Amino acid sequence: MTNENLLPREVVGHLLHPDVLAGVWFTIRMTALVFAMASAIGVVVGRMHRSENPVLSGVAAAYVWVFGSVPVLVQLLLWGNIALIFPDITLGIPGVHIDAMRMVTPVQAAIAGLALAMGAYAVRALPEGDRVTALGDILVTTLQATSLVSVLSITDLLGVVQALEERNHLIVPLLVVAAIWYLVLVTAARVAVRLARVARGRSQAH
């Protein structure tokens, strides 16, 4: 008996839909960029946190406290509406006026929000244990967190699926499509991390 809400044929038919593949590729690129930024933030802020300079360590602690405590979704929404908070950026220079609405696009807001949130996670993760494992955890967490950027109307994997849902009302099948692709991407990331860990172990053994 076939579940009318699941529609397996629709799931299979949309797995390689051009819009879905474009969303997958966008998600991969955003994950790579945010991962690189978050890892760099984690290294820099981590060193500040371990510094004997009270100012540097205090700033680092405050960063981890704020960006590690506020939910990522809330941070994304704040960055997405940054123009409402700072509509006109002057940088303290007379005659310089930057329209934040035009300068800060939804994609830029999403990247900034994710990078800062994942950076706080990286500060805590990197100093502990195996660095390859820590970086792998950051990569997987970042990949999963990219699904939240759809709230900013960005055409990532989940955003594309939601747009398709509005057109054809295949809610469950398309959510299953998104779930399958996230499963594939996260599994690939974990396999890559495992291979990197094995390669590192072999290089240290020689």
Side-chain angles (χ1 to χ4, degrees):
M1 183 174 181
T2 303
N3 188 321
E4 294 181 358
N5 291 316
L6 183 55
L7 300 175
R9 289 185 180 180
E10 295 293 348
V11 173
V12 175
H14 282 85
L15 277 174
L16 299 180
H17 188 285
D19 290 350
V20 172
L21 293 179
V24 170
W25 177 232
F26 182 92
T27 295
I28 292 172
R29 287 183 292 142
M30 174 168 279
T31 298
L33 179 58
V34 172
F35 170 71
M37 294 173 65
S39 298
I41 291 172
V43 171
V44 173
V45 178
R47 290 179 179 176
M48 291 172 59
H49 197 273
R50 295 187 296 272
S51 172
E52 295 182 357
N53 186 314
V55 175
L56 292 178
S57 60
V59 169
Y63 167 80
V64 173
W65 173 56
V66 172
F67 291 98
S69 300
V70 178
V72 179
L73 180 58
V74 176
Q75 294 186 48
L76 289 174
L77 290 172
L78 283 172
W79 277 100
N81 292 282
I82 193 69
L84 299 177
I85 305 172
F86 303 105
D88 190 26
I89 302 174
T90 63
L91 301 176
I93 304 174
V96 175
H97 298 280
I98 302 174
D99 187 346
M101 187 67 73
R102 293 182 179 180
M103 187 184 74
V104 182
T105 67
V107 173
Q108 292 169 339
I111 291 172
L114 284 178
L116 290 170
M118 293 300 103
Y121 173 73
V123 173
R124 295 190 296 261
L126 286 175
E128 301 177 1
D130 181 14
R131 185 164 290 246
V132 173
T133 300
L135 288 171
D137 290 341
I138 297 168
L139 176 61
V140 170
T141 302
T142 299
L143 175 56
Q144 294 169 329
T146 59
S147 63
L148 298 174
V149 305
S150 60
V151 299
L152 300 180
S153 300
I154 293 174
T155 53
D156 68 310
L157 173 56
L158 184 57
V160 165
V161 163
Q162 291 174 331
L164 289 173
E165 287 173 4
E166 292 178 2
R167 297 204 296 264
N168 56 32
H169 307 293
L170 297 171
I171 298 175
V172 175
L174 285 168
L175 286 175
V176 172
V177 168
I180 290 172
W181 271 112
Y182 281 117
L183 181 63
V184 170
L185 294 175
V186 170
T187 300
R190 286 176 172 159
V191 169
V193 171
R194 183 174 298 178
L195 292 175
R197 192 185 304 124
V198 171
R200 185 182 181 184
R202 289 177 178 175
S203 63
Q204 290 178 341
H206 291 293

